[in-house]
Amino acid sequence: MARLQLKNINKRWGAFVGVKDLNLDIADEEFLVLLGPSGCGKSTTMRMIAGLEGVSEGEILLGDQVVNHLPPKDRDISMVFQSYGLYPNLSVYENIRFPLRVRRVPKDQHDEMVMRAVRMVELEDFMHRRPAELSGGQRQRVALGRAIVRKPTVFLMDEPLSNLDAKLRVSTRAQIKNLQSKLKVTTVYVTHDQIEAMTLADRVVVMNAGEIQQVGTPTEIYNTPSNTFVASFIGSPAMNLIDGRIDGGTFTAEGMKIEGLKTKHSGPVTLGFRAEDADVCEADGQITGPVYSVELLGDATMITWRQGGALVSIKTNKDYRAEIDQIVDGSIPVEICHLFDPQTGARIALD
């Protein structure tokens, strides 16, 4: 049983709080992604799980055992780093074999275990090469092979794809997802890339300033963000957020009017909607104004307006064309709108 629990975890360096009151219950075989901007506390959280950082307060439980005071080598955890961490003087085979030697696994088991890992990361043709003779993607696969050569209780992955180019990220991301589904090992994955989080995770933990902002499935995080931070961090492009007023269910802002919102809330409000949930229209739209930019994305065209101090984007069909400064209307169905408190950023539930 590889259930991992973090209870009331705090991490401080003097007066600076890196992680505050963090509580997580990670199920056996779950793929959990810690997502957030640089400095949000996600890597610190991972390092505390690994035993590379001490916990100021709280408990980390692996199964039923509190592991706060166990050194990293006694936690039965494998970690994949952003920097690969390969031994330059060792071949691919020996790099993958190294954890077995350290843990004094009987030598007669090494070859079978190493070859199993080599096959899983598709490195059969590179076993005798050294890291300097490999591409970035191949080096990352060696690091993955080294992590999976024995079946640990937990995998920890700290931004393992950030050194790869865009094409390699896509293929390696798919390989990580496939490996985890086959190995069925509890995995905690750290990234600042929301696409990685959405495509890999069973659940996503969105963090900011050392605190959890929302925990949920990728669908929950995307469709019902808990606050404006999550709304603006998840999605490409991010959710449009427009400050205005709502009275009697009608939202108004410069160049915008949306009627029929089912809420008793009145006064200042932030309205949000996803670019792909709206569309351009011929006339009488909920947003009207001069086009700020037109971007052909291949499968769609992105039309952007400047609305007050913000840019508002709508995706439409790939054949749509408009000129800069041309007056265009946008259709924003009331059922796709989200409301947030402009002071706290918290989500306002619609009736």
Side-chain angles (χ1 to χ4, degrees):
M1 181 68 174
R3 180 185 181 191
L4 179 63
Q5 298 175 78
L6 284 72
K7 296 184 175 182
N8 304 313
I9 297 296
N10 288 273
K11 178 61 180 179
R12 292 189 304 273
W13 292 274
F16 177 76
V17 179
V19 175
K20 182 179 179 182
D21 296 330
L22 187 141
N23 287 275
L24 281 175
D25 192 339
I26 305 165
D28 185 31
E29 300 182 10
E30 182 176 15
F31 197 124
L32 185 96
V33 174
L34 302 178
L35 174 68
S38 297
C40 72
K42 57 188 187 296
S43 289
T44 299
T45 300
M46 174 171 283
R47 290 174 63 82
M48 287 190 287
I49 295 171
L52 301 175
E53 290 280 359
V55 176
S56 300
E57 289 156 4
E59 290 184 332
I60 298 174
L61 285 85
L62 191 51
D64 296 324
Q65 182 183 17
V66 177
V67 298
N68 289 42
H69 304 297
L70 287 182
K73 67 181 180 67
D74 294 333
R75 298 194 183 195
D76 196 22
I77 287 172
S78 283
M79 191 162 182
V80 179
F81 297 94
Q82 175 183 346
S83 60
Y84 315 138
L86 304 180
Y87 297 101
N89 59 318
L90 299 182
S91 66
V92 167
Y93 183 97
E94 290 298 332
N95 264 286
I96 293 175
R97 182 188 174 204
F98 191 80
L100 304 180
R101 295 170 57 191
V102 170
R103 289 184 170 268
R104 299 186 180 180
V105 174
K107 287 186 178 180
D108 60 357
Q109 299 178 25
H110 286 198
D111 192 63
E112 180 184 349
M113 295 174 74
V114 171
M115 290 308 300
R116 171 180 167 271
V118 165
R119 285 191 291 270
M120 292 190 79
V121 295
E122 301 174 9
L123 286 171
E124 296 98 317
D125 296 333
F126 304 93
M127 287 193 301
H128 304 296
R129 295 191 186 183
R130 293 187 178 184
E133 302 172 284
L134 303 175
S135 68
Q138 290 163 348
R139 292 178 197 176
Q140 191 57 271
R141 280 188 279 157
V142 176
L144 286 170
R146 187 176 56 189
I148 68 177
V149 69
R150 59 181 185 85
K151 192 173 180 179
T153 304
V154 175
F155 282 141
L156 302 179
M157 299 188 182
D158 191 4
E159 305 211 39
L161 307 184
S162 59
N163 287 340
L164 305 182
D165 62 38
K167 185 176 179 180
L168 273 175
R169 274 196 208 106
V170 173
S171 60
T172 309
R173 190 171 69 214
Q175 189 168 43
I176 288 172
K177 185 69 172 178
N178 182 266
L179 280 172
Q180 198 270 346
S181 68
K182 289 178 178 177
L183 294 167
K184 300 187 183 303
V185 175
T186 306
T187 302
V188 181
Y189 186 105
V190 162
T191 184
H192 63 273
D193 186 324
Q194 52 97 13
I195 295 176
E196 285 180 30
M198 297 292 285
T199 54
L200 288 172
D202 295 322
R203 284 191 303 157
V204 179
V205 179
V206 184
M207 297 183 66
N208 187 41
E211 297 186 76
I212 292 176
Q213 302 296 308
Q214 187 172 0
V215 181
T217 66
T219 300
E220 290 167 346
I221 296 285
Y222 191 81
N223 289 340
T224 54
S226 63
N227 55 42
T228 50
F229 175 82
V230 177
S232 63
F233 197 79
I234 298 292
S236 182
M239 181 179 285
N240 294 299
L241 296 171
I242 303 102
D243 291 327
R245 287 189 60 85
I246 190 165
D247 292 291
T250 298
F251 173 83
T252 55
E254 181 185 340
M256 288 188 69
K257 184 176 183 180
I258 301 176
E259 299 177 309
L261 290 159
K262 295 179 180 179
T263 179
K264 297 181 178 64
H265 186 85
S266 62
V269 74
T270 299
L271 181 135
F273 69 92
R274 297 281 183 195
E276 65 272 21
D277 292 335
D279 206 347
V280 295
C281 58
E282 293 297 326
D284 301 322
Q286 285 81 10
I287 180 172
T288 302
V291 172
Y292 182 78
S293 72
V294 180
E295 301 169 88
L296 178 61
L297 305 179
D299 62 338
T301 300
M302 187 81 73
I303 306 298
T304 302
W305 289 259
R306 182 176 288 283
Q307 195 282 327
L311 295 177
V312 177
S313 298
I314 289 178
K315 276 186 181 178
T316 189
N317 71 76
K318 63 182 179 181
D319 299 319
Y320 184 85
R321 296 292 181 270
E323 300 295 326
I324 302 299
D325 293 330
Q326 177 183 334
I327 302 299
V328 174
D329 281 39
S331 172
I332 307 170
V334 66
E335 61 270 16
I336 66 146
C337 293
H338 307 257
L339 296 179
F340 302 94
D341 186 304
Q343 297 298 318
T344 65
R347 183 181 187 84
I348 299 172
L350 293 171
D351 298 334

